[in-house]
C-alpha cells in the first residue's frame, strides 16, 4: 500500500509506541509502523525530498501533532515516549486533532511547511531516516564483544588545536587544499538554503561556530573529518556565491542577498571570524586515527565505520575494496539489495578481506579494529596478490549463488521458510570458506547443494550457539570461532561423502 498521509499515521504511531513499551527511537517507530501497515520495501524507501523517505517525513509530522495534543513527548535525541495521557488512549480521532491544530495555527500545514514544526520535530527531520540508510534486506547485527582489548596507546594521539580566521579556510578551498569530495564523507550540500542561511547569520551576529576537524596527514590536502556541511555552506556563500540568504531571524533586511550584496563591514566580519580547528598531524598511526575519527565525528548523520576506514585508507586499499564491491558477481550473489551510499557494500567486502587475509584462529577483537588493520594491510600486497584475491572472491560469489541462489548468506529454518535478510556474519563465513576451497572441492560441494542446504537448516535449528553467533555478539572471539568451525565442518562433511 502507498505511504499514508501523516494524519492517517497518528494511530499507527500510537500503536507502535505501545507495542515498543511506551518509548522508542524514531527508527524503531518507523520499523514498527511499517510492519503494522504492511508496507512494501518500495513504499518504505519512497523518497519525499532531499533523500528523506516519505515514511520518515510523514511520521515526523504525526509525532508533531500527537505531541501538541499532549499524547507524546520527546525524551532524547530522536527518542519519543507516550505521556500518561498517551498511555491511556486506545486510539485518537484524527479529524478532531486536525481541527484543534488548525484553530491554534490559523491554517493547516502541508508537507513542506517545516516552519510550523516545533523544535523537537525539526530536530527529528535532521535525524530522519534517509533512504540509503534503510536497508531492510540486511539483518541488523550486534557486534559487541565480551572481551575488551586496548586498541592503542593513547600517548600516540597527535592532534593540534589552532585558532584560524575563516579567510584562511576560504583560501585553502579556493586553492583546492581542502578535499571536499573524499570517498568516505557523506555528500556535502545536504542542508537546505534556510539552514545554510542561518549559519551565515550566526557568523554575522558573532555566534561562535562549533570546532572543525581535519586530517592533516597531507599538508596540501586536508581531509574534512567533521564540518563538511558548514564548509559546503561557506563555499556556496563566499566563494561560489550561489547561496542567497533567506528566512533570517535577526537580520531579515539581508534576505535575498549573496556575499557580494553585503556591506563591506559584514563581509569582513565573515572573513575575519575566528574558528577553532583541530588537525590530526602527519605520522599519527592508522589505528589511532580510526579511533579519533569515530569519536569526534559529531554530525547529525554519524559516519559509518566503513566510511571511516576509507577515510584513513585511501589509495590502494580503498580502491581495491570498491573494485570488489562493484563486481557484478558480488551484486548478483547478494540479490542486488545491498546499498552503496553509506558504503554498506564495501563493509561486506572488507569483512571478507579481513578474514581471508587473517585466519579466524588468530582473530583478536574488537571487530572494527580488526577490519581496519586488515584494510590497511592491503597496501602491502603486490598487484598479483590482489589479483589472486579478486579471483578467489569472484569464485566464492559464484559458488554461493550456485549453492543457494537468492538465499545466499541468509538464514533459513525450513525449506518452506520465508526468505530472510542477508546476514553479515553468514556472508563473512560463507564467502571466506568458499574462497579457501580448491576449484575441485567447490565443484563437489555444488553437486551436493541440496544436502548442504538441509544440513545447514538442521544446524541453525539444533545448534543454538551457532545460531546466536550469527546475530548476537558477533565480534566475540568465541563466536567468530564457532561460526567458522561449524561451516567448515559442514562443508567438509559434504565434500567427503
Amino acid at each position: 500500500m502507498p505511504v499514508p498521509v501523516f494524519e492517517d499515521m497518528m494511530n499507527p504511531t500510537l500503536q507502535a509506541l505501545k507495542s515498543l513499551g511506551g518509548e522508542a527511537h524514531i527508527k524503531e517507530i518507523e520499523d514498527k509502523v511499517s510492519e503494522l501497515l504492511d508496507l512494501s520495501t518500495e513504499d518504505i524507501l519512497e523518497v519525499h525530498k532531499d533523500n528523506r523517505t516519505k515514511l520518515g517525513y510523514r511520521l515526523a509530522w504525526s509525532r508533531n501533532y500527537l505531541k501538541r495534543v499532549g499524547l507524546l513527548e520527546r525524551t532524547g535525541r530522536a527518542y519519543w515516549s507516550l505521556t500518561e495521557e498517551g498511555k491511556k488512549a486506545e486510539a485518537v480521532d484524527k479529524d478532531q486533532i486536525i481541527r484543534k491544530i488548525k484553530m491554534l495555527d490559523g491554517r493547516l500545514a502541508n508537507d513542506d511547511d517545516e516552519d510550523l514544526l516545533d523544535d523537537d520535530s525539526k530536530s527529528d527531520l535532521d535525524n530522519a531516516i534517509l533512504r540509503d540508510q534503510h536497508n531492510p534486506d540486511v539483518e541488523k547485527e550486534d557486534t559487541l564483544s565480551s572481551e575488551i582489548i586496548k586498541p592503542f596507546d593513547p600517548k600516540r594521539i597527535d592532534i593540534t588545536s589552532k585558532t584560524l580566521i575563516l579567510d584562511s579556510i576560504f583560501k585553502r578551498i579556493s586553492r583546492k587544499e581542502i578535499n571536499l569530495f573524499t570517498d568516505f564523507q557523506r555528500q556535502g550540500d545536504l542542508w537546505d538554503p534556510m539552514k545554510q542561511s542561518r549559519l551565515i547569520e550566526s557568523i554575522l551576529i558573532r555566534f561562535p561556530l562549533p570546532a572543525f576537524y581535519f586530517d592533516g596527514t597531507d599538508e596540501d590536502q586536508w581531509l574534512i573529518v567533521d564540518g563538511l556541511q558548514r564548509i559546503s555552506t561557506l563555499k556556496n556563500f563566499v566563494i561560489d556565491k550561489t547561496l542567497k540568504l533567506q528566512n533570517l531571524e535577526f537580520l531579515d533586511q539581508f534576505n535575498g542577498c549573496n556575499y557580494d550584496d553585503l556591506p563591506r563591514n559584514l563581509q569582513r566580519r565573515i572573513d575575519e571570524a575566528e574558528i577553532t580547528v583541530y588537525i590530526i598531524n602527519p605520522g599519527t598511526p592508522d589505528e589511532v586515527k580510526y579511533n579519533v575519527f569515530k569519536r569526534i565525528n559529531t554530525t547529525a548523520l554519524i559516519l559509518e565505520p566503513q566510511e571511516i576506514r576509507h577515510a584513513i585508507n585511501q589509495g590502494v586499499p580503498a580502491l581495491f575494496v570498491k573494485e570488489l564491491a562493484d563486481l557484478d558477481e558480488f551484486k548478483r550473489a547478494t540479490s542486488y539489495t545491498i546499498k552503496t551510499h553509506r558504503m554498506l557494500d564495501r563493509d561486506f567486502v572488507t569483512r571478507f578481506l579481513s578474514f581471508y587475509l587473517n585466519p579466524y584462529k588468530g582473530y583478536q577483537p574488537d571487530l572494527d579494529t580488526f577490519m581496519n588493520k586488515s584494510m590497511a594491510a592491503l597496501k602491502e600486497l603486490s598487484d598479483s596478490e590482489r589479483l589472486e584475491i579478486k579471483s578467489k572472491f569472484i569464485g566464492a560469489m559464484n559458488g554461493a549463488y550456485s549453492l543457494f541462489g537468492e538465499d545466499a548468506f541468509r538464514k533459513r529454518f525450513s525449506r518452506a521458510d520465508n526468505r530472510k535478510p542477508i546476514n553479515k556474519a553468514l556472508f563473512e563465513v560463507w564467502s571466506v570458506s568458499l574462497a579457501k576451497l580448491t576449484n575441485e572441492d567447490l565443484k563437489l560441494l555444488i553437486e551436493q547443494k541440496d544436502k548442504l542446504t538441509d544440513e545447514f537448516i538442521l544446524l541453525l535449528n539444533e545448534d543454538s550457539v551457532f545460531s546466536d553467533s550469527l546475530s548476537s555478539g558477533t565480534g566475540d572471539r568465541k563466536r567468530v570461532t564457532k561460526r567458522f568451525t561449524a561451516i567448515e565442518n559442514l562443508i567438509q562433511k559434504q565434500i567427503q561423502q
Side-chain angles (χ1 to χ4, degrees):
M1 62 174 290
V3 177
V5 293
F6 76 87
E7 55 264 38
D8 287 338
M9 289 201 287
M10 292 182 197
N11 275 311
T13 297
L14 201 65
Q15 294 167 27
L17 272 165
K18 285 180 180 292
S19 66
L20 292 168
E23 182 179 31
H25 188 276
I26 59 174
K27 179 65 175 68
E28 295 176 297
I29 298 172
E30 177 170 320
D31 288 344
K32 180 56 68 173
V33 169
S34 300
E35 178 186 323
L36 292 171
L37 296 177
D38 195 24
L39 297 179
S40 68
T41 300
E42 290 74 18
D43 295 329
I44 293 169
L45 299 181
E46 185 180 358
V47 173
H48 172 67
K49 66 176 183 178
D50 297 333
N51 204 35
R52 293 177 184 145
T53 63
K54 185 174 288 187
L55 175 63
Y57 197 82
R58 289 180 176 174
L59 280 174
W61 276 98
S62 295
R63 291 190 295 272
N64 179 58
Y65 272 47
L66 291 171
K67 178 193 173 186
R68 294 182 69 186
V69 296
L71 299 178
L72 298 188
E73 61 183 350
R74 190 167 180 262
T75 52
R77 181 175 175 178
Y79 276 88
W80 289 78
S81 66
L82 297 169
T83 62
E84 290 304 315
E85 287 300 312
K87 292 174 183 177
K88 297 174 186 176
E90 293 299 324
V92 297
D93 184 333
K94 65 176 184 179
D95 295 325
Q96 184 178 0
I97 291 176
I98 288 172
R99 283 195 297 271
K100 183 173 182 178
I101 301 300
K102 185 175 181 179
M103 289 177 60
L104 291 172
D105 294 342
R107 64 187 178 100
L108 266 184
N110 60 50
D111 275 355
D112 292 314
D113 285 334
E114 290 187 25
D115 56 314
L116 289 183
L117 288 171
D118 62 16
D119 289 341
D120 285 343
S121 298
K122 286 179 181 177
S123 176
D124 255 16
L125 292 182
D126 287 338
N127 289 287
I129 308 304
L130 301 184
R131 184 183 190 277
D132 289 315
Q133 283 179 274
H134 197 297
N135 206 148
D137 207 45
V138 175
E139 184 178 328
K140 294 177 183 177
E141 180 187 33
D142 164 24
T143 61
L144 293 178
S145 169
S146 60
E147 303 176 65
I148 300 175
I149 296 177
K150 280 190 176 181
F152 58 83
D153 181 354
K155 294 178 182 177
R156 301 169 76 190
I157 298 173
D158 186 8
I159 301 177
T160 300
S161 171
K162 293 184 178 180
T163 299
L164 302 177
I165 61 171
L166 279 178
D167 188 59
S168 64
I169 299 296
F170 301 152
K171 287 176 180 175
R172 273 192 168 266
I173 295 172
S174 298
R175 294 166 184 167
K176 301 189 182 337
E177 294 172 351
I178 293 180
N179 191 343
L180 297 175
F181 306 102
T182 53
D183 201 23
F184 67 93
Q185 268 283 17
R186 64 191 178 107
Q187 66 191 72
D189 285 333
L190 290 181
W191 285 0
D192 60 32
M194 185 184 82
K195 194 164 187 176
Q196 294 185 58
S197 298
R198 295 286 174 86
L199 176 73
I200 301 301
E201 185 181 39
S202 294
I203 299 170
L204 292 174
I205 61 178
R206 296 190 173 93
F207 275 12
L209 294 182
F212 294 81
Y213 293 83
F214 297 95
D215 179 359
T217 301
D218 182 350
E219 172 62 23
D220 296 324
Q221 190 77 179
W222 283 0
L223 305 179
I224 302 173
V225 178
D226 191 49
L228 177 61
Q229 303 309 320
R230 284 170 279 146
I231 291 285
S232 298
T233 296
L234 293 166
K235 179 176 181 288
N236 291 341
F237 189 66
V238 177
I239 298 172
D240 298 341
K241 299 180 173 59
T242 56
L243 173 63
K244 290 184 179 292
L245 301 177
Q246 58 180 264
N247 296 105
L248 299 180
E249 290 183 287
F250 303 100
L251 303 174
D252 57 358
Q253 67 269 34
F254 296 113
N255 281 332
C257 293
N258 62 23
Y259 177 81
D260 289 340
D261 297 327
L262 294 178
R264 179 57 197 146
N265 67 310
L266 293 185
Q267 292 178 352
R268 190 165 55 248
R269 189 174 297 177
I270 295 174
D271 297 344
E272 296 177 356
E274 291 187 344
I275 58 170
T276 300
V277 171
Y278 292 94
I279 302 171
I280 303 172
N281 290 320
T284 303
D286 284 347
E287 64 268 25
V288 177
K289 196 184 300 182
Y290 177 81
N291 201 282
V292 170
F293 271 50
K294 187 164 61 173
R295 285 172 180 267
I296 67 178
N297 180 252
T298 58
T299 53
L301 185 58
I302 302 300
L303 290 179
E304 294 289 342
Q306 186 62 33
E307 294 172 308
I308 301 174
R309 288 182 203 113
H310 273 252
I312 61 179
N313 291 294
Q314 295 197 12
V316 169
L319 291 172
F320 185 61
V321 169
K322 182 179 186 301
E323 181 183 353
L324 297 193
D326 287 342
L327 290 170
D328 192 62
E329 290 86 354
F330 167 69
K331 293 178 180 179
R332 183 181 69 156
T334 53
S335 307
Y336 300 90
T337 57
I338 299 178
K339 310 237 171 271
T340 62
H341 185 65
R342 302 302 309 280
M343 296 193 182
L344 181 60
D345 56 338
R346 301 185 209 185
D347 185 73
F348 274 79
V349 169
T350 305
R351 292 283 282 259
F352 163 79
L353 290 169
S354 297
F355 284 98
Y356 183 83
L357 293 171
N358 304 286
Y360 69 89
K361 291 179 181 178
Y363 168 74
Q364 291 288 337
D366 64 79
L367 187 59
D368 266 356
T369 302
F370 176 74
M371 291 172 66
N372 185 53
K373 288 181 177 178
S374 300
M375 189 171 174
L378 289 171
K379 58 190 168 192
E380 306 300 327
L381 301 179
S382 65
D383 290 345
S384 61
E385 286 173 321
R386 286 192 293 272
L387 188 61
E388 173 67 15
I389 292 171
K390 179 179 177 181
S391 175
K392 286 292 186 179
F393 182 68
I394 290 173
M397 294 301 101
N398 287 336
Y401 188 77
S402 296
L403 288 167
F404 303 108
E406 293 192 349
D407 257 352
F409 317 120
R410 302 169 193 263
K411 297 175 184 175
R412 177 167 286 276
F413 294 93
S414 74
R415 285 280 187 176
D417 204 1
N418 291 329
R419 194 173 74 154
K420 300 290 189 290
I422 291 175
N423 178 281
K424 282 188 177 182
L426 275 179
F427 177 87
E428 158 203 304
V429 67
W430 275 117
S431 63
V432 172
S433 299
L434 295 177
K436 296 286 186 179
L437 295 177
T438 65
N439 291 335
E440 293 74 17
D441 283 346
L442 182 57
K443 184 178 178 181
L444 287 173
L445 189 64
I446 292 172
E447 290 174 357
Q448 300 290 329
K449 66 179 184 180
D450 288 336
K451 290 182 179 179
L452 180 71
T453 297
D454 289 336
E455 291 287 340
F456 178 56
I457 291 172
L458 191 64
L459 180 64
L460 281 169
N461 281 297
E462 295 190 351
D463 192 336
S464 61
V465 177
F466 170 72
S467 185
D468 288 345
S469 77
L470 301 176
S471 300
S472 176
T474 55
D476 179 80
R477 180 164 48 191
K478 291 180 180 178
R479 297 199 173 197
V480 168
T481 300
K482 174 62 180 180
R483 59 178 175 264
F484 268 96
T485 54
I487 293 299
E488 282 182 354
N489 292 338
L490 188 64
I491 289 173
Q492 289 305 314
K493 180 179 178 181
Q494 300 309 313
I495 291 175
Q496 292 170 11
Q497 284 185 355

